[in-house]
Structures are given as structure tokens and as C-alpha cells.
Amino acid sequence: MLVLLQTDYHCVSTAAARIIAAWVRRDPALVLGLATGGTTIGMYRELSRMHREEALDFSKVVTFNLDEYIGLAPDHPHSFHSFMHQNFFSHVNIPPAQIHIPDGSIQTGYEEYCASYEAAIREAGGIDLQVLGIGRDGHIGFNEPSSSLASRTRPKTLSRSTLADNCRDFARGEEMPTAAITMGIGTILEARHIMLIASGKAKAKAVAKAIEGPITASVSASALQLHPDVTFVVDEDAARELSQCDYYRRVMEMTAKLTPKRLW
Ligand code: GLP
């Protein structure tokens, strides 16, 4: 597990974007797992800039998003489809046929639908790099506390903590979805490489539990400790509850000395 300690949100965003860009340059047909959430916006902005100004080419990249609210049509302004188009897809050159986001507007046949989402990931050759954010309750995707560490893509009821956090995206009086379709923790762990980004004090407890806590279904992100190739890109605020924070700071200093041409 690699912890890349960054000064602030801006540095988290550029470091994460540079890592993704390096993967895309190395393998133009990369299968990229994507996340939504406020934390990812700076990273998508930087990737869009790289596409515009540095000719970063996404034309062969295939993407799979983690999750989508149940009950929202793709064109709903608060759907994750809209989020992704607004913040990323409309700024880069990924052909629409290569973009996959769970469809939250289906009303029946969830089991078959979720199995077909998993099958599409497999047919694409599996996810090479999965990007994750983290919820205050330690969820990844929408795998709320008590999610099985072996779970697959499925509908999931949202926790009170997530409803409280995500209601900021919805207007007062507007009904907020209470469930979502999400990749499972088992699905996420099959990605070849995983990068989780976090910023701000509100994430500090969740980040500490994910990196240093026991592996438990109460904190979905703690399952990442089982993965052989995970990078956490976190800022000082999000890292403040880590007991090993000083160690990660020294690792960064040492890396800066040894590898001046590092990615981040
Ligand atoms: C939602 C998404 C998660 C994301 C989380 C954190 O719950 N399903 O994938 O990690 O939000 O969002 P934010 O970055 O806005 O705190």
C-alpha cells in the first residue's frame, strides 16, 4: 500500500490526474474504473486540461463507473451520468460506446442487469485502474457499512450518513434517492490497481480506519488492505488521524530526493 501525502486538495487532484495520465499514455486502451463525488472534480478538471493542452488521448480508453442512484434517469441533473458528462466526458474524447455507467432508471430485473454490468467488465478484460473516493462512513462506491467484503454489483440502500452528506446536491424539497446500484467490494478488489483519493478533515477518520484499522465490513474501504496494489492520494487534513502520518511524510521526502521525475 502506497500513501502519497499531499499538501492540499489542489495537489491531490493534480497528483491523481498525473497518475491516471501516465497509465493512459502507457496503455491507450486502458480500462478505467471511475468514481463520482466532489473530491473527484479537481482531478477531472486537470485530466480535461491535459487532454486539451497536452494532447492526452482518451479515444481508446474504456470506462466503468462505480455507481448510480436508483430512480434517476440518466439525464436527471443529479444523476451520476450527468455528473460525469458535466465534469469529464464532455471535455475529453472517449467515444460514448466505451463509457459504462449503471442505469439507475431500470425498474425491474436488477439481478440480471447487475450481472450484465459485471459481464461487461469481464468482457472488456477487467478494470486496469479503479479510481475511488471515500465516504465519511468509510464507504467506497456505495458499499455502505455492513456490505460484504465479497459483494458484487447490486442495489444497495444508502446509509443515514451518506444521505446526510449527499443531500447537499439536491434542492430543498427535492426528493433524494435512498438507494443506488453499486459495484461490490469484491468487484472493486478485482481491479489490477486501485487509487483512492481523499481531501479534508471530514474524511480523516474514514481514511485512518481504511489504512490502519482492522479489516471490517463496518468500513468498506478497509478491504483495500487485502489488495496488492493500492495507492492512497490524501492531503494533510485527510491524513491527520493516521498514527503513521509522520512516517508517510518522511516517505514523501525520501521519494522526492530519490525520484525527482516522479509522477505526482
Ligand atoms: C458518493 C459516491 C462515492 C464517493 C463519495 C464521496 O457517496 N458514491 O463514490 O466516494 O460520494 O463523495 P465526496 O467526494 O463528495 O465526499
Side-chain angles (χ1 to χ4, degrees):
M1 181 186 297
L2 180 62
V3 178
L4 299 180
L5 194 54
Q6 304 293 313
T7 317
D8 55 19
Y9 175 68
H10 173 73
C11 297
V12 167
S13 303
T14 49
R18 281 180 202 160
I19 289 170
I20 295 172
W23 275 78
V24 172
R25 289 196 174 106
R26 198 180 309 152
D27 177 7
L30 191 75
V31 180
L32 187 56
L34 294 174
T36 54
T39 313
T40 60
I41 292 177
M43 176 190 80
Y44 288 134
R45 193 172 298 145
E46 176 63 9
L47 283 171
S48 305
R49 188 200 62 74
M50 289 169 141
H51 169 66
R52 220 173 35 245
E53 297 174 12
E54 296 172 14
L56 180 61
D57 180 20
F58 290 92
S59 62
K60 293 196 175 70
V61 169
V62 175
T63 67
F64 286 91
N65 262 78
L66 283 168
D67 47 15
E68 176 60 286
Y69 289 117
I70 288 180
L72 298 191
D75 62 354
H76 188 285
H78 298 315
S79 71
F80 286 165
H81 279 76
S82 295
F83 176 97
M84 289 305 301
H85 283 279
Q86 204 176 312
N87 290 295
F88 188 46
F89 295 142
S90 63
H91 305 286
V92 294
N93 62 336
I94 307 176
Q98 288 159 218
I99 293 172
H100 306 82
I101 307 176
D103 182 355
S105 67
I106 59 162
Q107 292 179 358
T108 54
Y110 286 103
E111 216 170 297
E112 295 76 8
Y113 178 75
C114 292
S116 73
Y117 199 72
E118 295 258 341
I121 295 174
R122 275 196 305 277
E123 277 156 28
I127 292 174
D128 294 308
L129 171 62
Q130 176 66 56
V131 179
L132 300 173
I134 187 168
R136 270 191 313 129
D137 59 5
H139 73 236
I140 47 177
F142 268 132
N143 292 285
E144 302 288 26
S146 85
S147 292
S148 158
L149 301 188
S151 50
R152 312 300 309 186
T153 302
R154 69 211 182 291
K156 190 76 192 160
T157 305
L158 304 183
S159 72
R160 284 197 195 285
S161 153
T162 299
L163 290 172
D165 288 345
N166 291 14
C167 73
R168 64 174 177 224
D169 299 331
F170 293 81
R172 193 174 292 178
E174 191 182 355
E175 211 174 311
M176 186 192 159
T178 55
I181 293 178
T182 181
M183 278 187 206
I185 300 173
T187 322
I188 291 169
L189 290 177
E190 279 172 9
R192 291 181 191 94
H193 182 86
I194 296 176
M195 176 174 69
L196 185 148
I197 63 172
S199 167
K201 291 177 206 148
K203 300 293 173 67
K205 282 200 166 54
V207 165
K209 286 180 185 168
I211 296 176
E212 295 178 341
I215 297 171
T216 166
S218 302
V219 182
S220 306
S222 67
L224 299 176
Q225 293 173 35
L226 296 166
H227 194 280
D229 196 358
V230 182
T231 304
F232 284 83
V233 186
V234 296
D235 64 13
E236 289 277 353
D237 280 341
R240 61 199 278 164
E241 302 266 344
L242 284 167
S243 67
Q244 298 291 323
C245 199
D246 181 53
Y247 170 76
Y248 300 126
R249 212 169 279 130
R250 287 194 293 116
V251 170
M252 291 303 290
E253 284 163 12
M254 186 60 79
T255 314
K257 270 192 211 135
L258 296 180
T259 46
K261 279 193 181 161
R262 66 203 182 281
L263 287 175
W264 55 89

